Amino acid sequence: MQRTLTVSDSVTIAVDPLTAYDAVSDVRQMGRWSPENTGGQTRGEGPVTVGSSFVGRNRRGSARWSTECTVTAADPGEHFAFRVHRIGGRRPVLPAAIATWEYRFERVEAGTLVTETWTDDRRWPDALARVFDRAVTGGRTFAEYQPHNIRRTLDRLAAELERG
């Protein structure tokens, strides 16, 4: 059976699209919402743009790792995405196609529909990916594991932005 390579979810947040975009595209703040990412470290000041790289810090249980990411879309109020392409412990040193994270922002009557999408960029055999995924997630594939993370991230983002 071929593995699922993309999962996504959406939430409507009672803010304008630019406010939602500004929060998500400030990768240093992602740790406030994500259950795994503890924040990103950018190079330089100001907003990230297409081609900008940043290091993401992550944790799952007692495991800690870092990733290098490159911004692939940065359209304020509309679309933000980045590709995770290097991984390591304290420093991301191993080049590897890992995943792409994407956020779409759509103005709706109640505010902004924010859609978060995870795409598995690993080009591993499905059987190998299933074994690896289950070992690092406590028994699930990433396609089964990521919807919970996405939901928690979106719910936390909505709660914070709506509080102002």
Side-chain angles (χ1 to χ4, degrees), residues 45 109-111 153:
E45 297 296 318
E109 188 174 322
T153 299

Side-chain angles (χ1 to χ4, degrees), residues 13-86:
I13 305 175
V15 297
D16 64 276
L18 191 55
T19 297
Y21 174 90
D22 286 347
V24 169
S25 66
D26 184 350
V27 297
R28 298 167 299 176
Q29 303 302 313
M30 185 55 75
R32 292 165 49 187
W33 312 299
S34 171
E36 284 192 5
N37 181 270
T38 61
Q41 181 180 1
T42 60
R43 297 182 180 128
E45 297 296 318
V48 294
T49 58
V50 171
S52 296
S53 290
F54 64 92
V55 173
R57 305 277 180 220
N58 305 280
R59 73 177 181 295
R60 182 182 306 127
S62 62
R64 304 282 187 272
W65 69 98
S66 61
T67 57
E68 183 175 334
C69 308
T70 298
V71 176
T72 58
D75 302 312
E78 296 178 22
H79 184 208
F80 178 72
F82 59 89
R83 182 175 49 88
V84 183
H85 57 85
R86 192 177 296 268

Side-chain angles (χ1 to χ4, degrees), residues 108-142:
V108 293
E109 188 174 322
T112 300
L113 180 68
V114 178
T115 301
E116 180 177 6
T117 303
W118 166 85
T119 301
D120 186 347
D121 291 341
R122 300 171 302 163
R123 296 302 172 238
W124 301 1
D126 291 345
L128 175 62
R130 278 192 295 276
V131 169
F132 176 84
D133 292 359
R134 288 190 168 108
V136 300
T137 67
R140 294 176 280 179
T141 66
F142 277 134

